[in-house]
Amino acid sequence: MKKQLVLALALAAAPFAAMADGHSYSYVEGGYAQLNQELPDVDDAQIDDIEAAGFFIAGSAELGESFHLFGAYRSGDDDVGVTIPGLGSGSVGVDMSQYQIGLGYHSSVGTRTDLVAEVSALGTEIDVQDDGAEAMEGDDFRLSVGVRHLIADPVEVWVKANYTDGDAFDSAGSVSAGLQYKFTQTWGLVGEVEAGSEFSLFGVGVRASF
């Protein structure tokens, strides 16, 4: 009877123990990324949008109970189609990369939900391969507000609204949404998309939480 009581108490406490871990703000992750950038036509030339496929690495470190540092780097390349009337069509190789580093604040607003606010610096570089010209570089700042929510102990989702302004992006709004499925206490699969009026990105990879 004693053993059965101990087992019952352990089973009853298990879900609460799992929830006590809450959201991790200390992790590293990496995987596949695609950065998309809309481009305007130049004079009569028709230029396809950039769809640069490559990789990303990212991480976050918790600072006390309410703050965290975070950063990310994404890089990819694409062959962009160009059509010039009278001259025909061709493609040009393009490299695109982006870094982000910032400070975030998080606060619990429910048993499974955190409110998150972030401020960050964003740097974007687009380089046309083998043309001899300097790469286009832009430095921007970003404000983000959103929530992280545990649907179930192994499944987390998050949504953020972003405002980006500076050199590369002019008062640009975007929305980010992501999901993590944890198959152990440390390891999980992650996916995230961001969509804006002139740009978007997609990433899928593996995260190790600490």
Side-chain angles (χ1 to χ4, degrees):
M1 182 65 180
K2 252 185 208 180
K3 288 184 179 179
Q4 291 175 329
L5 180 59
V6 170
L7 178 59
L9 289 172
L11 291 172
F16 297 98
M19 283 193 292
D21 290 334
H23 303 276
S24 172
Y25 289 90
S26 294
Y27 60 83
V28 293
E29 64 184 23
Y32 170 84
Q34 180 172 307
L35 297 86
N36 305 318
Q37 179 69 49
E38 292 185 11
L39 297 176
D41 293 337
V42 178
D43 295 328
D44 293 330
Q46 297 178 348
I47 305 174
D48 294 342
D49 297 336
I50 299 174
E51 297 179 353
F55 71 94
F56 80 93
I57 54 174
S60 177
E62 190 164 9
L63 301 175
E65 295 183 357
S66 299
F67 294 93
H68 58 279
L69 287 173
F70 64 94
Y73 179 79
R74 311 171 185 92
S75 180
D77 58 76
D78 186 24
D79 290 326
V80 177
V82 179
T83 301
I84 302 177
L87 295 178
S89 301
S91 63
V92 178
V94 173
D95 295 322
M96 184 173 179
S97 61
Q98 190 176 81
Y99 75 83
Q100 183 179 15
I101 184 167
L103 175 68
Y105 168 82
H106 54 271
S107 177
S108 175
V109 293
T111 306
R112 291 177 173 265
T113 306
D114 279 7
L115 173 68
V116 180
E118 297 173 338
V119 58
S120 60
L122 197 70
T124 305
E125 180 176 312
I126 302 176
D127 185 19
V128 179
Q129 300 170 1
D130 302 326
D131 74 335
E134 292 186 5
M136 187 210 83
E137 298 181 356
D139 296 317
D140 300 83
F141 76 90
R142 169 171 289 191
L143 301 175
S144 303
V145 178
V147 293
R148 295 179 64 178
H149 178 68
L150 286 169
I151 295 178
D153 291 335
V155 182
E156 176 189 2
V157 296
W158 57 90
V159 178
K160 293 188 295 184
N162 311 298
Y163 173 81
T164 308
D165 192 27
D167 298 329
F169 304 104
D170 185 12
S171 300
S174 64
V175 176
S176 305
L179 180 145
Q180 176 183 205
Y181 176 80
K182 297 186 74 170
F183 47 88
T184 72
Q185 196 68 18
T186 300
W187 295 101
L189 298 175
V190 293
E192 184 171 29
V193 295
E194 179 182 348
S197 58
E198 298 180 356
F199 68 96
S200 63
L201 65 86
F202 166 79
V204 59
V206 178
R207 175 183 292 185
S209 301
F210 308 102

